Amino acid sequence: MASMTTTEPLDPAKLRADFPLLDGTRCGRPLVYLDSAASAQRPRAVLEAMDEYYATTHANVHRGVYRLAEEATRRFEEARARVGRLVNAPEPGREIVFTKNATEAINLVAYAWGRHELRRGDVVVLTEIEHHANLVPWLMLAEERGIELRYLPLGADFRLDLGELERTVDGARLVGVTLASNVLGTVVDVAPIVQAAHRAGALVLGDGAQLVPHRPVDVQALGIDLLAFTGHKMLGPTGIGALWARADLLEAMPPFLGGGEMIRDVRLDGFTPTDIPWRFEAGTPPIAEAIGLAAAIDYLEQVGLERIHQHEARLTAYAVERLEERYGDDLRIFGPRPDPEWRGGVISFAFGDIHPHDVAQVLDEHGICVRAGHHCAKPLMRCLGVGATTRASLYLYNDEHDVDRLVDALESVRDLFV
Amino acid sequence: MAGLEDLYREIILDHYRSPRNRGELPTPPAHRVEGFNPLCGDEVVLYLEVADGVVRDLRVAGQGCSISQSSASMMSAAVKGRPVGEARRLVRSFKAMMSVHEVSLGEDGSPSDDGPGDALDPSTLGELAALQGVVKFPVRIKCATLSWNTLSQGLDEIEQGDPVGS
């Protein structure tokens, strides 16, 4: 494979020793964790960075004049710049807004930008494969403001159908699109969408929750205008995510939540918001979480995001091959054929007509964690004609043994229900 | 630790593989009522034909996991032909059996209002008692109670004079 020529394959077994939750055994055997698309596990380095911060440096940020507070502020802002550099933000220190998660980052755009910019009849384009996080904030705005929502449809081979792209984005103000589907594993080729959207004068918001953790993402190369992603899917802590947006867009946006830190001045008859990015961060931010996220990014880059990408591509191909070879037509995968460039390590499937909850319950008995349900993508489930799927998702710490245990354990699912 | 055999009892799997009272009834005279479990996408559609205070007939449609579908099947067999009052008592008994965990987990935020008189007597619940093992798997309790809550809602709607559903 292409990757082998440039980089040595990573060694998941060795990496697992860095992850307390995955190291060792549970109920007498190693845990097979195949649900990183829902939330990844975190390495000791992240836990230690947060502990060390609390033990040595904590004070509130952007408030105190004492040295401890200055040091906390410095580390918090360093973490921001670290996140900005990860996605190659032109101005890493000014263009990253810390949020609670990717969902809040998208809500921030819908509230701050959307409420300021959109009037009745304005068009926002989304896709049929979006996570609820990139649907509901816009549906709320449609109810409140009467904006029009259009959708790029799911096409053949579980990719977006861009046949009507030009017409769909015509007159639109914003196109919101996932960069990688949390159900199908499809990595969306955003280049044509960005071109068409920009020609039409629309901004492009990328939902990077499922892509940023798994390969190098460069907002300048992608040409998008806004990017939402989350910490806990990329080895970081829960409770922190980020919105990247071009500085000029942030400058033009009114605040999101109101409170401390986001103001320059407050009078009894009004307030003046402060500069970006702090304008969008009301109240005490998740400081330790930001430091944990920076440590997670350090870890990912030490391992190498391109190596992680290649590892997942190989493992996805192996998993699909094993599942198909063992179960044939009894197992239907909802996703594109393995493809290093355009498919990630999310494998959703139907197993006969056994309900995914039953599949997941029996797999749990074998020490295997998979997700069962609609994956917060109900419109997509309707497109696929199913109520739910079973989903196994792969990350840097998974290997062939995990896949083999999944494949073997599915036999006992079949024994019970068929 | 709870084992799978507590959850997937043979009688449950039997109802899952061969569901009773599966299908639809014309509305009217039947009343149609839907229930959803948003967590896993379980969906139960009941068609209730109530006359003279008796559940004369009912059918179960929808889709879902083995627990939700077998519970719906067992429910249909248990209440078909019974007076509405008895069906409601059965709902309370069944939910009491399932609520031990729900209340202790605080899932609803409010304790069950089922009195001790409604506590489970396995001899009156018959094969429904096979579902008792579900309480050891808290995530699945909502699967088991879905059809019962839907029945309860349907009976309420019929009493409130909305016999065909809306």
Side-chain angles (χ1 to χ4, degrees):
Chain A
M1 269 181 213
S3 66
M4 304 264 209
T5 59
T6 51
T7 52
E8 198 184 322
L10 56 79
D11 181 353
K14 220 168 110 188
L15 292 182
R16 266 202 301 277
D18 296 336
F19 291 76
L21 198 139
L22 300 175
D23 192 21
T25 59
R26 290 169 92 86
C27 305
R29 67 205 149 183
L31 185 73
V32 175
Y33 188 75
L34 298 174
D35 198 20
S36 295
S39 196
Q41 300 300 341
R42 47 235 11 85
R44 205 169 277 109
V46 168
L47 307 177
E48 284 170 355
M50 293 171 74
D51 274 356
E52 187 270 342
Y53 164 77
Y54 275 128
T56 65
T57 316
H58 177 70
N60 212 333
V61 294
H62 295 297
R63 283 160 181 80
V65 296
Y66 46 91
R67 271 170 295 178
L68 189 66
E70 265 181 16
E71 176 64 7
T73 303
R74 188 183 65 75
R75 292 190 59 185
F76 178 63
E77 293 302 326
E78 268 178 16
R80 186 194 306 281
R82 187 77 190 82
V83 174
R85 288 198 303 276
L86 173 74
V87 296
N88 196 27
E91 297 184 63
R94 292 180 74 221
E95 296 179 331
I96 293 293
V97 179
F98 281 127
T99 59
K100 187 166 61 181
N101 44 37
T103 298
E104 190 180 88
I106 295 170
N107 273 274
L108 193 163
V109 178
Y111 277 74
W113 178 83
R115 282 168 184 227
H116 187 244
E117 292 287 329
L118 299 178
R119 302 286 174 270
R120 174 168 294 278
D122 278 353
V123 174
V124 167
V125 175
L126 306 167
T127 84
E128 286 182 345
I129 69 171
E130 297 308 307
H131 187 281
H132 293 167
N134 199 24
L135 290 170
V136 181
W138 304 107
L139 288 165
M140 289 165 72
L141 209 54
E143 271 185 18
E144 187 190 306
R145 285 289 162 95
I147 63 167
E148 182 191 339
L149 299 181
R150 295 181 193 153
Y151 296 95
L152 294 169
L154 177 67
D157 194 23
F158 304 100
R159 295 169 201 277
L160 287 178
D161 176 356
L162 300 183
E164 295 289 312
L165 175 63
E166 300 285 342
R167 224 172 58 178
T168 310
V169 302
D170 184 39
R173 302 288 313 277
L174 179 134
V175 178
V177 56
T178 185
L179 301 183
S181 164
N182 71 314
V183 175
L184 307 170
T186 308
V187 173
V188 173
D189 181 10
V190 286
I193 298 173
V194 168
Q195 279 171 22
H198 285 173
R199 267 201 303 274
L203 298 173
V204 178
L205 161 65
D207 175 356
Q210 299 289 346
L211 193 67
V212 174
H214 299 284
R215 62 171 73 178
V217 169
D218 178 334
V219 293
Q220 298 186 60
L222 290 174
I224 58 178
D225 305 287
L226 308 108
L227 174 71
F229 52 108
T230 192
H232 72 101
K233 293 192 205 292
M234 51 191 282
L235 313 183
T238 57
I240 189 154
L243 172 72
W244 166 80
R246 280 188 355 238
D248 62 301
L249 284 176
L250 289 177
E251 294 277 16
M253 276 159 58
F256 173 37
L257 301 172
E261 198 185 318
M262 52 71 71
I263 46 88
R264 172 161 297 138
D265 186 27
V266 178
R267 302 165 305 278
L268 291 179
D269 63 350
F271 73 96
T272 311
T274 190
D275 296 333
I276 64 164
W278 307 286
R279 184 191 299 169
F280 305 100
E281 294 176 356
T284 297
I287 309 166
E289 286 76 6
I291 281 154
L293 177 56
I297 292 169
D298 286 342
Y299 185 92
L300 286 171
E301 293 201 330
Q302 271 162 25
V303 175
L305 274 156
E306 186 50 34
R307 257 172 105 208
I308 293 170
H309 171 197
Q310 297 301 336
H311 166 71
E312 290 175 15
R314 273 193 301 276
L315 195 56
T316 303
Y318 177 77
V320 169
E321 186 189 317
R322 289 292 325 274
L323 287 167
E324 288 181 340
E325 153 196 290
R326 180 81 71 95
Y327 298 107
D329 292 342
D330 288 345
L331 190 140
R332 191 154 61 103
I333 294 174
F334 301 101
R337 303 298 307 162
D339 173 341
E341 196 54 31
W342 302 114
R343 198 208 197 291
V346 168
I347 303 169
S348 281
F349 59 90
F351 192 41
D353 56 3
I354 306 168
H355 192 279
H357 264 206
D358 292 318
V359 176
Q361 190 90 59
V362 179
L363 292 180
D364 177 54
E365 201 68 10
H366 290 261
I368 300 168
C369 307
V370 296
R371 173 86 188 271
H374 53 62
H375 315 297
C376 299
K378 291 198 83 169
L380 174 57
M381 292 290 121
R382 289 195 183 92
C383 291
L384 299 174
V386 295
T389 73
T390 305
R391 180 185 75 183
S393 52
L394 308 168
Y395 208 3
L396 71 170
Y397 36 61
N398 295 119
D399 61 12
E400 283 81 356
H401 298 295
D402 295 336
V403 171
D404 293 344
R405 284 216 4 225
L406 169 70
V407 173
D408 289 343
L410 283 169
E411 289 282 5
S412 60
V413 176
R414 187 153 70 175
D415 291 347
L416 191 60
F417 292 104
V418 180
Chain B
M1 200 180 129
L4 275 187
E5 62 282 3
D6 292 314
L7 186 64
Y8 297 122
R9 306 274 296 273
E10 198 44 54
I11 185 83
I12 294 175
L13 292 171
D14 177 61
H15 275 267
Y16 171 61
R17 294 182 189 118
S18 319
R20 325 293 199 261
N21 301 302
R22 187 86 190 153
E24 301 179 3
L25 291 173
T27 54
H31 177 82
R32 182 180 187 278
V33 58
E34 293 180 349
F36 294 98
N37 176 357
L39 183 70
C40 54
D42 285 339
E43 179 191 321
V44 164
V45 185
L46 298 181
Y47 294 84
L48 300 168
E49 206 173 298
V50 174
D52 306 323
V54 173
V55 183
R56 297 265 181 222
D57 202 359
L58 84 167
R59 290 286 188 280
V60 183
Q63 51 163 7
C65 68
S66 60
I67 301 302
S68 74
Q69 298 304 299
S70 62
S71 181
S73 171
M74 290 162 93
M75 180 278 287
S76 74
V79 304
K80 188 170 168 175
R82 293 232 201 180
V84 169
E86 252 179 69
R88 285 191 183 279
R89 269 196 296 284
L90 214 46
V91 172
R92 281 198 296 277
S93 299
F94 185 80
K95 291 194 69 182
M97 177 169 81
M98 291 293 151
S99 69
V100 186
H101 242 96
E102 263 187 324
V103 171
S104 66
L105 288 171
E107 276 195 13
D108 293 343
S110 62
S112 164
D113 60 0
D114 299 324
D118 287 316
L120 172 71
D121 176 357
S123 64
T124 64
L125 276 174
E127 61 183 25
L128 290 172
L131 284 161
Q132 198 161 16
V134 175
V135 295
K136 295 177 189 163
F137 298 81
V139 180
R140 306 303 292 277
I141 291 174
K142 283 190 189 303
C143 307
T145 53
L146 176 64
S147 56
W148 297 82
N149 288 329
T150 309
L151 172 67
S152 193
Q153 185 192 331
L155 293 175
D156 287 350
E157 287 170 3
I158 291 170
E159 253 173 37
Q160 286 154 19
D162 182 18
V164 292
S166 45

